[in-house]
Amino acid sequence: MPPHVVNSHVVYTALDLVGTFAFAISGAVAARQRRLDLFGIAAVAFTVACGGGIVRDVCIGAVPPAGLSNWRYLAASLCAAALTILAYPKIRRLRHSVLLFDAIGLGLFAVSGAQKALTYGHSAELAILLGIVSAVGGGVMRDVMLSRVPAILEREIYASAALLGAVIQVGLHYAGWSNAWTPWLATLACVTVRLASLYFGWRLPVFGEARENGVRERP
Amino acid sequence: MPPHVVNSHVVYTALDLVGTFAFAISGAVAARQRRLDLFGIAAVAFTVACGGGIVRDVCIGAVPPAGLSNWRYLAASLCAAALTILAYPKIRRLRHSVLLFDAIGLGLFAVSGAQKALTYGHSAELAILLGIVSAVGGGVMRDVMLSRVPAILEREIYASAALLGAVIQVGLHYAGWSNAWTPWLATLACVTVRLASLYFGWRLPVFGEARENGVRERP
Amino acid sequence: MPPHVVNSHVVYTALDLVGTFAFAISGAVAARQRRLDLFGIAAVAFTVACGGGIVRDVCIGAVPPAGLSNWRYLAASLCAAALTILAYPKIRRLRHSVLLFDAIGLGLFAVSGAQKALTYGHSAELAILLGIVSAVGGGVMRDVMLSRVPAILEREIYASAALLGAVIQVGLHYAGWSNAWTPWLATLACVTVRLASLYFGWRLPVFGEARENGVRERP
């Protein structure tokens, strides 16, 4: 995260770790349900929390990636894995809180990912794409590692909410608004859309019949 | 793409976008058949079209990758996704054209990927490997995201045709031939082999019985 | 591999190639059992042998990655693939040797991966994480490409042994021990734990019931 966006704001840093923690909880829960072992749970938790940011950092040349070199991300992921192992029934009861924190993480990662790309001097298009990657990349890796089609590709408003957050942040940045305000507005928009889609059951359209075959796929 | 290979040739740029578009169509069709939603179709289309080139660029330090920073690739992918959603029955009827464009894309990506690595001053081995990665990496990612074994690993002459194109391009480059001609020759060789393998049903050999088990795999 | 760790020691270089070869054998065997074709076997063998190191090199900015630019790794992988195709019944009888070489490869890759990150001036945490990635990354990619849950996440002491080797190497490095000795000690510890876990059937704990569902996963 660029210093003037994150580190100077204690609140922002705290929220960033809350997002990391929420993402790691979602990874640890999925890994535990698939009966992975101790190491597997920790590895999937860390991957969900930091995978997207690592890809973003590699793509903009910010190596080593913050997710690997900043110990706070690893610590937050391991805490989430430990909590999921030790207090699983409690985590189950907290499912609504987990979804809430996950939505906050989604918004924060989309916005701070886009902003980091802008801070490194890249274009609006790249910033928006990498904002989405930061927010949803870890979840895609989790699903790929658990050998299933990534959930964000077939259900719910999730990546679309990240897209909205990244677009607002980049748009306001180019419009010259102060960086003191824009990340909060953009994050709020993303979180609101995500939570509203959960509450109202909004989904993106799916097309065609279940059993269409025709165009031979590229092998 | 290095300026003297691609940008100075309008034809080459146009063909590069044709290849991107054909690859994106193949991704969008596969995603639609798996009933992914609107975002999923766009994401898989973009991944097939640009995934291989992004890995290549990250491996040679050309960051940010052209697939993310050059808006034409994203635009071509989104057009292909939109077309697949809106005109699916037509796309089905055009299956032979899609295979043709896909073969052209394969040849162009293999050759321009190898040439880009050479232009950045890397060795012949690296150029050949990255030519293959550019051409088939996106298709592998598509299959991994759709939770199936990558088709290029079990059927048909596909990656092998990309290998041929990359080898010819690198060989002629080292033989001192002019860059004005070699990409066309190498691409033509790759496309010809690919189309001939489709027409004649050529396949690479598979070995052993279906139910062999013996060596314990590395976990 | 940093010069003073690897290249100056002929023994070490030889062992590094032995590890590459053993990893490639494991990849080629898995690919052959899944009935991939000639290209698929070579591609999976190379991925298992070099995938982890390539990710490590990209993350520390050592591009192009050694696994792609040093022809010895490709050559060792292709030899392993050819041997698996031509002499499969012999490979089956050598299963215990393959496991032994694989354990040696695990130790060497974990330790040399961690040491390479230290040589590039990175922190202890990053060195340990990248040591694990170097050692197990290729195996994870193999399982993802073959569309199954990575074995290291659900069985046996494997990544944990790599963690031990990386931690010992980094710890002794910070304690000021000579690099002439520490890689051997750290590798020996990793290999010993790995082989003992195979012999005694040690496993990491798995938690919960097979059919727990509760926390809604993050999509």
Side-chain angles (χ1 to χ4, degrees):
Chain A
M1 315 283 148
H4 68 281
V5 178
V6 181
N7 295 342
S8 63
H9 302 294
V10 175
V11 181
Y12 204 96
T13 305
L15 281 176
D16 193 45
L17 288 177
V18 167
T20 302
F21 187 81
F23 275 19
I25 288 274
S26 88
V29 166
R32 193 181 193 280
Q33 286 174 347
R34 283 293 280 262
R35 299 189 60 68
L36 302 191
D37 67 16
L38 183 61
F39 179 86
I41 294 173
V44 175
F46 180 69
T47 301
V48 177
C50 299
I54 289 171
V55 171
R56 175 203 60 209
D57 286 354
V58 164
C59 284
I60 59 175
V63 291
L68 292 172
S69 61
N70 185 333
W71 63 270
R72 286 183 190 82
Y73 295 107
L74 178 61
S77 305
L78 295 181
C79 287
L83 196 70
T84 305
I85 290 170
L86 298 175
Y88 189 72
K90 272 220 180 76
I91 297 271
R92 282 181 68 171
R93 281 198 297 276
L94 292 174
R95 54 202 284 188
H96 289 296
S97 313
V98 170
L99 279 173
L100 174 66
F101 287 130
D102 184 74
I104 294 173
L106 183 77
L108 288 165
F109 281 26
V111 170
S112 65
Q115 183 57 37
K116 182 165 186 175
L118 291 176
T119 305
Y120 273 72
H122 296 303
S123 69
E125 184 214 340
L126 188 70
I128 292 169
L129 286 175
L130 291 181
I132 300 174
V133 166
S134 307
V136 310
V140 169
M141 288 183 200
R142 175 200 60 200
D143 290 339
V144 162
M145 286 170 79
L146 298 183
S147 202
R148 58 193 191 194
V149 176
I152 63 152
L153 301 179
E154 49 183 7
R155 313 196 284 257
E156 304 185 21
I157 305 287
Y158 194 81
S160 329
L163 169 64
L164 179 74
V167 164
I168 292 177
Q169 170 66 12
V170 171
L172 296 182
H173 176 89
Y174 274 88
W177 288 39
S178 157
N179 261 339
W181 290 101
T182 54
W184 301 106
L185 277 176
T187 302
L188 187 66
C190 172
V191 174
T192 306
V193 168
R194 170 65 185 149
L195 292 179
S197 81
L198 280 176
Y199 188 79
F200 296 109
W202 295 343
R203 302 198 161 221
L204 287 179
V206 173
F207 305 94
E209 302 303 313
R211 279 288 120 214
E212 266 171 352
N213 283 295
V215 174
R216 172 107 163 282
E217 294 160 41
R218 169 189 172 213
Chain B
M1 315 280 148
H4 68 281
V5 177
V6 180
N7 294 342
S8 63
H9 302 294
V10 174
V11 181
Y12 204 98
T13 305
L15 282 175
D16 194 44
L17 288 178
V18 167
T20 302
F21 186 80
F23 275 20
I25 289 273
S26 87
V29 166
R32 194 182 191 280
Q33 286 175 346
R34 284 292 282 262
R35 298 187 63 67
L36 302 192
D37 67 17
L38 184 61
F39 180 86
I41 294 173
V44 175
F46 181 70
T47 301
V48 177
C50 300
I54 290 172
V55 171
R56 175 203 61 209
D57 286 354
V58 163
C59 284
I60 59 174
V63 291
L68 292 172
S69 61
N70 185 331
W71 64 270
R72 286 183 191 83
Y73 295 107
L74 178 61
S77 305
L78 295 182
C79 287
L83 197 70
T84 304
I85 290 170
L86 298 175
Y88 190 72
K90 273 220 180 75
I91 298 271
R92 281 181 69 171
R93 281 197 297 277
L94 292 173
R95 55 202 282 190
H96 289 296
S97 312
V98 170
L99 280 173
L100 174 65
F101 287 130
D102 183 74
I104 294 173
L106 183 78
L108 289 164
F109 281 25
V111 170
S112 65
Q115 183 58 37
K116 183 165 186 175
L118 291 176
T119 305
Y120 273 73
H122 296 304
S123 70
E125 184 214 340
L126 188 70
I128 292 169
L129 286 175
L130 291 181
I132 300 174
V133 166
S134 307
V136 309
V140 169
M141 288 183 200
R142 175 201 59 200
D143 291 339
V144 163
M145 286 169 79
L146 299 182
S147 203
R148 58 194 191 192
V149 176
I152 63 152
L153 302 178
E154 49 183 7
R155 335 190 268 259
E156 305 184 19
I157 306 286
Y158 194 83
S160 329
L163 169 64
L164 180 74
V167 164
I168 292 177
Q169 171 65 12
V170 171
L172 296 181
H173 176 90
Y174 274 89
W177 287 40
S178 156
N179 261 339
W181 290 101
T182 55
W184 301 106
L185 278 175
T187 302
L188 187 66
C190 171
V191 174
T192 306
V193 167
R194 169 66 183 148
L195 292 179
S197 80
L198 280 176
Y199 189 79
F200 296 110
W202 295 343
R203 302 197 162 223
L204 286 179
V206 173
F207 304 94
E209 302 302 314
R211 279 287 120 218
E212 267 172 349
N213 283 294
V215 175
R216 171 106 161 282
E217 294 159 39
R218 170 191 171 209
Chain C
M1 314 282 147
H4 67 281
V5 178
V6 179
N7 295 342
S8 65
H9 302 296
V10 174
V11 181
Y12 204 97
T13 305
L15 282 175
D16 194 43
L17 288 177
V18 167
T20 302
F21 187 81
F23 275 20
I25 289 274
S26 87
V29 166
R32 194 182 192 282
Q33 286 174 347
R34 284 292 280 262
R35 297 187 64 65
L36 302 192
D37 67 17
L38 184 61
F39 180 86
I41 294 173
V44 175
F46 181 69
T47 302
V48 177
C50 300
I54 289 171
V55 171
R56 174 203 60 208
D57 286 354
V58 164
C59 284
I60 59 176
V63 291
L68 292 172
S69 61
N70 185 334
W71 63 270
R72 287 183 190 82
Y73 295 107
L74 178 61
S77 305
L78 294 182
C79 286
L83 197 69
T84 304
I85 290 170
L86 298 175
Y88 189 72
K90 273 220 179 77
I91 298 272
R92 281 182 68 171
R93 282 198 296 277
L94 293 173
R95 57 202 282 189
H96 289 296
S97 312
V98 170
L99 280 174
L100 174 65
F101 287 129
D102 184 74
I104 294 173
L106 183 77
L108 289 164
F109 281 25
V111 170
S112 65
Q115 182 58 36
K116 183 166 186 174
L118 291 176
T119 305
Y120 273 73
H122 296 304
S123 70
E125 184 215 339
L126 188 70
I128 292 168
L129 286 175
L130 291 181
I132 300 174
V133 166
S134 307
V136 309
V140 169
M141 288 183 202
R142 176 200 60 201
D143 291 339
V144 163
M145 286 170 79
L146 299 182
S147 203
R148 57 192 193 194
V149 176
I152 63 153
L153 301 178
E154 49 183 6
R155 331 191 272 260
E156 304 184 21
I157 306 287
Y158 194 82
S160 329
L163 169 64
L164 179 73
V167 164
I168 292 178
Q169 170 66 12
V170 171
L172 296 182
H173 175 90
Y174 274 89
W177 288 39
S178 156
N179 260 340
W181 290 102
T182 53
W184 300 106
L185 278 176
T187 302
L188 186 67
C190 171
V191 174
T192 306
V193 167
R194 169 65 184 148
L195 292 179
S197 81
L198 280 177
Y199 189 79
F200 295 111
W202 295 341
R203 302 197 161 222
L204 287 179
V206 173
F207 304 93
E209 302 302 314
R211 282 286 120 215
E212 266 172 354
N213 284 295
V215 174
R216 171 108 162 281
E217 295 159 40
R218 171 192 170 210

